[in-house]
């Protein structure tokens, strides 16, 4: 449960009737975690703080309904959250990657964001922008309002973004990172990072998206604070490196607030449990490996055949969510046509120990089931946090974005995953034998699996403790609330009023 308010009364008074402005990216995987963070701040402030969400339209109309449904649910909740819809603007069409697309598209909204914030009738405690939205900093600074960045990614990703401008200066412009001696880059707090594990767009210095990575990394140092959806105990070395200025060449980095895991857990509206969950009910404890690859993960028949052969030969029980490639003009996967995607006899051969599910599945509910003992995941940070929350070790199979970097940190730094070779240059192809070996290593109870499981169980305990009163994330949330109060331009007068009221109360109570 989110923590109750522990703010002193003078801070609550100073925060009363003020609002925090959130500017999330339109994707559901960004929108929901930022909104959930805002709701936790509401609770921590004793609901003295209000939330205003600036909603940028989804560039693709086909994807807009999921956000709209979520907004309707929040509007019906009664919480002091107001949604301000910004007008539709034409998106850029000549970008080289999603990070460039977001940065430039959001930049077009700067005048509208400025007008929306300036038009608020209550004091503004701060503006929180999504991780590639620092193009909005100029207008926020012009308004004299504190600017914050919210990362749905890991502390390691925060360190890499802060480090990226100096990394760029250290390597000659004509040289790719993989061409340097050792083929690795230095991210303080981590083992040497193979260049092949850098996020998509940052591994290729010739494309314009690379420049936008550097742009955002530079502007992070202008923030009043960086809010990260993680737990301090998960990557302490990286956080120490950020705090010590090792990621920013000795320049003091903004305060980092680790408030995670920010995972929205909502009760299912379905009266009956999902078919996947009912199937798990009949399986032994910790015996099933769960394969699921996020909202955009899908496979063609050749790759699906490799997965099928690997699972069959592994001998392990499995629950596999298999989606088909998107239809032309769409980015979301289709429901899997199992007859086309799978080998002819696979379902018959494995029917006693496996289930292939061709549509969306309730990932959080499945991961929390006692029968699940391992998770083959694309390695999105939200999925990683969900897995750590319930103590399920992983096999990362990155498909894009920062997932290759996440996979490296899960194995080499956090120790909660078993390595599997993924051929990035072949569209992240994995051979059947490679999957078979990784699944066996995770599920067979050997020494390697034991160490990973022990580490995952420890991470589970750390995540749970962090959000309890007095835990690291609870305290970080309180510090953030206090920082937001300090950032208000009308704070001196409000604190003076608060102190006068407290003195008057003390006088009455003592009879003086």
């Amino acid at each position: 449960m989110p923590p109750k308010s522990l703010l002193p009364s003078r801070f609550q008074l100073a925060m009363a009737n003020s609002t925090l402005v959130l500017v999330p990216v339109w994707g559901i995987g960004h929108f929901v975690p930022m909104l959930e963070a805002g709701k936790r701040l509401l609770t921590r402030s004793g609901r003295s703080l209000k939330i205003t969400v600036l909603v940028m339209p989804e560039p693709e109309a086909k994807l807009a309904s999921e956000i709209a449904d979520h907004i309707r649910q929040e509007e019906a909740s009664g919480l002091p959250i107001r949604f301000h819809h910004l007008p539709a603007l034409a998106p850029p069409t000549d970008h080289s990657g999603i990070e460039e697309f977001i940065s430039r598209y959001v930049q077009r909204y700067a005048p509208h964001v400025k007008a929306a914030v300036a038009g608020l009738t209550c004091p503004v405690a701060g503006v929180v922008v999504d991780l590639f939205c620092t193009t909005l900093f100029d207008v926020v600074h012009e308004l004299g309002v504190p600017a914050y960045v919210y990362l749905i990614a890991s502390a390691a990703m925060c360190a890499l973004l802060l480090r990226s401008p100096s990394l760029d200066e250290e390597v000659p412009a004509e040289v790719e990172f993989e061409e340097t001696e050792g083929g690795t880059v230095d991210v303080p707090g981590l083992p040497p990072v193979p260049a092949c594990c850098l996020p998509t767009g940052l591994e290729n210095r010739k494309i314009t998206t690379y420049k936008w990575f550097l742009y955002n990394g530079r502007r992070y140092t202008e923030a009043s604070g960086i809010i990260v959806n993680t737990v301090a105990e998960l990557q302490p070395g990286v956080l120490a490196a950020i705090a010590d200025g090792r990621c920013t060449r000795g320049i003091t980095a903004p305060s980092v607030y680790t408030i995670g895991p920010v995972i929205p857990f909502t009760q299912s509206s379905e009266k009956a449990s999902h078919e996947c969950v009912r199937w798990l009910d009949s399986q032994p404890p910790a015996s099933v490996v769960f394969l699921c690859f996020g909202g955009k993960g899908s496979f063609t028949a050749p790759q699906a055949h490799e997965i099928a052969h690997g699972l069959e030969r592994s001998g392990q029980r499995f629950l596999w969510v298999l989606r088909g490639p998107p239809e032309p003009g769409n980015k979301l996967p289709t429901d899997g046509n199992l007859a086309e995607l799978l080998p002819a006899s696979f379902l018959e051969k494995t029917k006693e120990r496996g289930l292939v599910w061709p549509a969306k599945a309730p990932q959080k509910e499945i991961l929390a089931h006692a029968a699940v003992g391992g998770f083959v995941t694309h390695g999105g940070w939200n999925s990683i946090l969900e897995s750590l929350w319930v103590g399920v070790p992983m096999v990362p199979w990155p498909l894009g974005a920062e997932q290759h970097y996440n996979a490296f940190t899960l194995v080499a730094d956090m120790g909660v995953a078993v390595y599997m070779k993924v051929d990035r240059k072949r569209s992240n192809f994995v051979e059947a034998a490679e999957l078979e070996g990784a699944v066996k290593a995770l599920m067979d109870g050997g020494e390697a699996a034991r160490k990973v499981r022990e580490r995952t169980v420890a991470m589970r305990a750390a995540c749970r403790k962090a959000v309890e009163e007095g835990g690291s994330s609870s305290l970080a949330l309180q510090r953030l609330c206090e920082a937001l109060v300090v950032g208000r331009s009308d704070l001196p007068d409000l604190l003076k009023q608060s102190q006068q009221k407290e003195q008057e109360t003390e006088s009455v109570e003592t009879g003086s």
Side-chain angles (χ1 to χ4, degrees):
M1 294 292 292
K4 63 182 180 181
S5 171
L6 294 178
L7 289 178
S9 59
R10 66 180 182 277
F11 282 116
Q12 287 182 305
L13 177 61
M15 193 170 278
N17 298 317
S18 64
T19 190
L20 179 66
V21 179
L22 307 182
V23 189
V25 167
W26 46 89
I28 196 74
H30 289 250
F31 191 91
V32 171
M34 186 184 280
L35 188 55
E36 185 70 17
K39 288 160 68 175
R40 293 192 183 189
L41 283 165
L42 283 181
T43 302
R44 173 59 67 176
S45 72
R47 294 202 184 183
S48 300
L49 181 70
K50 296 178 177 61
I51 299 293
T52 299
V53 184
L54 303 188
V55 183
M56 290 179 281
E58 162 63 56
E60 295 185 38
K62 295 178 181 178
L63 306 180
S65 61
E66 200 169 10
I67 293 290
D69 290 344
H70 198 81
I71 289 174
R72 281 193 289 270
Q73 292 174 13
E74 295 297 342
E75 287 177 330
S77 70
L79 292 173
I81 303 174
R82 175 175 173 261
F83 294 91
H84 180 97
H85 294 266
L86 301 176
L89 299 177
T93 58
D94 57 343
H95 57 91
S96 64
I98 186 62
E99 296 81 10
E100 178 185 359
F101 176 85
I102 292 172
S103 299
R104 291 173 53 200
Y105 187 43
V106 169
Q107 191 172 35
R108 299 183 181 189
Y109 276 96
H112 299 282
V113 169
K114 183 177 181 179
V117 176
L120 293 170
T121 57
C122 57
V124 179
V127 174
V128 183
V129 305
D130 217 327
L131 77 168
F132 288 110
C133 297
T134 61
T135 49
L136 298 175
F137 273 11
D138 290 330
V139 295
V140 176
H141 294 331
E142 288 171 15
L143 294 170
V145 175
Y148 292 80
V149 178
Y150 180 67
L151 263 70
I152 62 166
S154 68
M157 186 63 181
C158 179
L160 179 60
L161 282 161
L162 289 168
R163 173 81 170 104
S164 61
S166 56
L167 271 177
D168 180 66
E169 294 174 5
E170 293 167 12
V171 178
E174 67 277 7
V175 178
E176 294 289 352
F177 290 123
E178 66 179 358
E179 298 169 347
T180 60
E181 184 176 355
T184 62
V185 298
D186 170 47
V187 179
L190 290 178
V193 180
C196 62
C197 293
L198 289 173
T200 302
L202 194 58
E203 93 291 6
N204 183 352
R205 304 178 75 199
K206 296 181 178 68
I207 61 175
T208 50
T209 291
Y210 173 80
K211 301 300 181 184
W212 283 102
F213 265 99
L214 305 186
Y215 173 92
N216 284 283
R218 289 190 188 96
R219 302 217 67 175
Y220 275 25
T221 58
E222 302 174 22
S224 295
I226 302 174
I227 308 164
V228 186
N229 183 11
T230 192
V231 174
E233 290 79 6
L234 298 188
Q235 291 181 307
V238 167
L239 291 167
I242 295 173
D244 294 344
R246 283 180 277 150
C247 296
T248 47
R249 283 190 168 177
I251 299 171
T252 302
S255 297
V256 175
Y257 301 94
T258 54
I259 66 168
V262 179
I263 308 172
F265 285 100
T266 56
Q267 295 294 326
S268 174
S269 59
E270 298 180 10
K271 294 182 180 180
S273 60
H274 193 275
E275 184 174 335
C276 290
V277 176
R278 294 198 301 272
W279 181 83
L280 288 170
D281 289 340
S282 64
Q283 307 304 316
S287 66
V288 176
V289 60
F290 175 43
L291 298 89
C292 190
F293 300 91
K296 294 184 179 180
S298 64
F299 294 108
T300 59
Q303 180 64 90
H305 277 231
E306 292 291 319
I307 299 173
H309 293 318
L311 290 175
E312 182 181 346
R313 294 200 296 254
S314 75
Q316 302 295 324
R317 299 173 188 270
F318 64 87
L319 170 53
W320 176 15
V321 177
L322 175 57
R323 310 295 303 281
E327 295 177 348
N330 200 342
K331 292 183 178 180
L332 294 180
T334 56
D335 287 351
N337 185 327
L338 301 188
E340 294 181 357
L341 290 172
L342 294 174
S345 58
F346 174 74
L347 293 177
E348 180 63 26
K349 288 179 180 178
T350 60
K351 65 180 180 181
E352 299 300 327
R353 59 179 175 88
L355 174 65
V356 183
W357 187 255
K360 285 185 178 180
Q363 178 173 288
K364 289 193 289 286
E365 190 177 356
I366 289 171
L367 280 172
H369 198 285
V372 174
F375 184 26
V376 179
T377 171
H378 69 301
W381 188 244
N382 288 333
S383 291
I384 289 169
L385 289 179
E386 290 171 10
S387 197
L388 292 177
W389 181 256
V390 294
V392 175
M394 289 163 274
V395 172
W397 183 338
L399 301 177
E402 87 288 8
Q403 294 157 19
H404 286 274
Y405 184 63
N406 287 345
F408 169 78
T409 60
L410 287 175
V411 175
D413 180 45
M414 298 167 65
V416 294
V418 169
Y419 171 76
M420 181 173 70
K421 182 180 179 181
V422 178
D423 192 340
R424 191 171 187 176
K425 294 183 178 180
R426 293 176 60 199
S427 300
N428 304 305
F429 197 81
V430 172
E431 303 283 352
E434 192 68 27
L435 177 63
E436 175 190 358
V439 168
K440 284 181 176 178
L442 182 66
M443 303 295 289
D444 67 2
E447 181 65 14
R450 183 187 64 79
K451 289 181 179 179
V452 168
R453 289 187 184 282
E454 287 179 356
R455 184 64 176 158
T456 307
V457 169
M459 293 290 192
R460 177 187 184 277
C463 288
R464 306 256 171 167
K465 184 178 180 181
V467 297
E468 295 175 356
E469 293 299 341
S472 61
S473 295
S474 175
L475 293 175
L477 202 64
Q478 181 169 339
R479 290 195 301 272
L480 177 56
C481 268
E482 293 173 358
L484 290 169
V485 174
V486 171
R488 280 184 47 166
S489 59
D490 57 347
L491 177 64
D493 291 339
L494 283 169
L495 285 182
K496 190 182 221 181
Q497 295 171 18
S498 175
Q499 290 163 354
Q500 288 175 346
K501 288 187 177 182
E502 288 180 354
Q503 290 170 0
E504 291 170 2
T505 302
E506 289 175 2
S507 298
V508 172
E509 290 175 347
T510 58
S512 57

